[in-house]
Amino acid sequence: MGRNVPGYNSFVIFAEMRTGSNLLEATLNLVKRVTCFGEAFNPYMLGWPDTDQIRGIDMAQREADPMALLTAITSREDHLSGFRYFHDHDPRVFSAIMDNRRCAKIVLTRNPLDSYVSTELARATNQWKLNQTETPIAASITYDGAGFRELLDRQRAFQSEVMRRLQTSGQTAFWLRYEDLRDPSVMLGLLHFLGRTDLDEVQLAGDQVPQNPRLMSEKVANFDAMEADLAGMDAFDIHRLPGFEPERGPAVPSYIAADAGGGLLYMPVRGGPGPQVSAWMEAQGPLSREMSQNALRRWLKERPRHRSFTVLRHPVRRAWDAFTQLLTGGNSALRQSLRDVHRVALPPDDELTSLSDGPLQELFLQFLDLLRRNIAGQTGLPVLPLWATQTEILAGFSRFRVPDMILREDSLRRDLGWLAQSVGLDGDAAALPASPVMPGFLNEKPVLQAARAAYLRDYHQFGFTNRIETGG
């Protein structure tokens, strides 16, 4: 075998159905001391249909211990062994594949609509491969827009994860298009990438031919409907909300647990109605705070009837809470940084508590603009939990557990009563303290527009209105 320049002793082909992976495998298997073991981790078959074992491991053994098969394939010295891996193959081996730097990564892609139509035709005719002596079965399919979009989303998510894992680990991949598979120069380049620099040419597999070389309109019965559906798709993701906010952790020590009834677990969003909710919980019974993840797991296990919840607050009210904490808190260094660097013209600290509504509104507008820039990654300030988006905070919670219920501040009296009843309490939420009264100028158009610009993700995610209740 030729000198293996990158040190690869195995490979994986990341592909999808009907992308040409069978043809690529057949070409690789024509090369001495190179073996591709099909879809080795397909949950419904072992490598290929009607295969009993791969490298001495059968399907039951693979199911019990997929790592044993992965090791058997990828640990052969002086022989390049690999397999094809699709987005719906056994996820238990994915991390091990990506972490193995001696496993070369090949990414094979095709126009996703071509793949979808080809797959549906193969299902309709049960003709998955075609050689030169066989006759293609003429057929057409009915395009299912919802099914196509769902498949496309899953495949894109998988490709994005492959790329992210390559980037974070400093690895590279050999990228192939369906159209490249019949180009001998590209196939030779692939073998050189794999380390087979002893090869001067590559013989292409000739036992497979294109199955459906017809116009798309001949293959899709509802072609006009498909065109209309595809025209409505956002191919370039132009409506995507850009997100540059850092990921957040689950913040478990901030959770508050009440032993009353079956148990209540409050997962507070900083800047929300936390003081009011915790006071209501304390009226139900003793509270536990600042628990570790292990302590919280024990608490949850001991209370199988518990309910966990969080409470959303309108972004304008939440930003105002963050602003007032900035003005009155002991964070003088942050205030000075806002004055000196971040275009928020705060007066001296000894004047902050005597500001009238006019100056307060102007400062709050400057603060909202700072939040917009900060959340968009345009400042050197960290995105503090006090003003981070509620979208990202809830995503952080989900890294430990997803709350059973997501409540809203403006309907808390009703919803907390129902929540209490669900854990066996009397459900009276009359004792819920009122939220602080906020200034009326928060409902003025410039403030509402600035808040929407800063928290667009939250407005889209949770459907917040453009008006708030400023009373208690």
Side-chain angles (χ1 to χ4, degrees), residues 230-273:
L230 294 175
M233 290 183 63
D234 185 6
F236 297 101
D237 221 6
I238 60 175
H239 296 291
R240 176 183 60 88
L241 293 177
F244 299 97
E245 192 175 359
E247 288 187 355
R248 313 206 74 84
V252 169
S254 71
Y255 299 176
I256 301 172
D259 292 336
L264 288 170
L265 179 67
Y266 175 40
M267 304 162 71
V269 174
R270 287 282 303 276

Side-chain angles (χ1 to χ4, degrees), residues 120-174:
E120 294 306 306
L121 284 170
R123 287 191 174 123
T125 62
N126 201 31
Q127 192 171 53
W128 294 90
K129 291 183 183 180
L130 187 69
N131 62 39
Q132 298 179 33
T133 64
E134 294 175 321
T135 301
I137 301 172
S140 63
I141 62 110
T142 299
Y143 169 78
D144 173 13
F148 174 64
R149 287 188 292 274
E150 182 180 346
L151 176 66
L152 189 61
D153 286 345
R154 291 198 302 267
Q155 293 180 356
R156 283 178 171 173
F158 177 66
Q159 289 178 354
S160 294
E161 180 61 13
V162 169
M163 180 176 288
R164 190 188 72 83
R165 294 290 294 265
L166 289 170
Q167 291 170 328
T168 57
S169 61
Q171 297 183 69
T172 189
F174 195 94

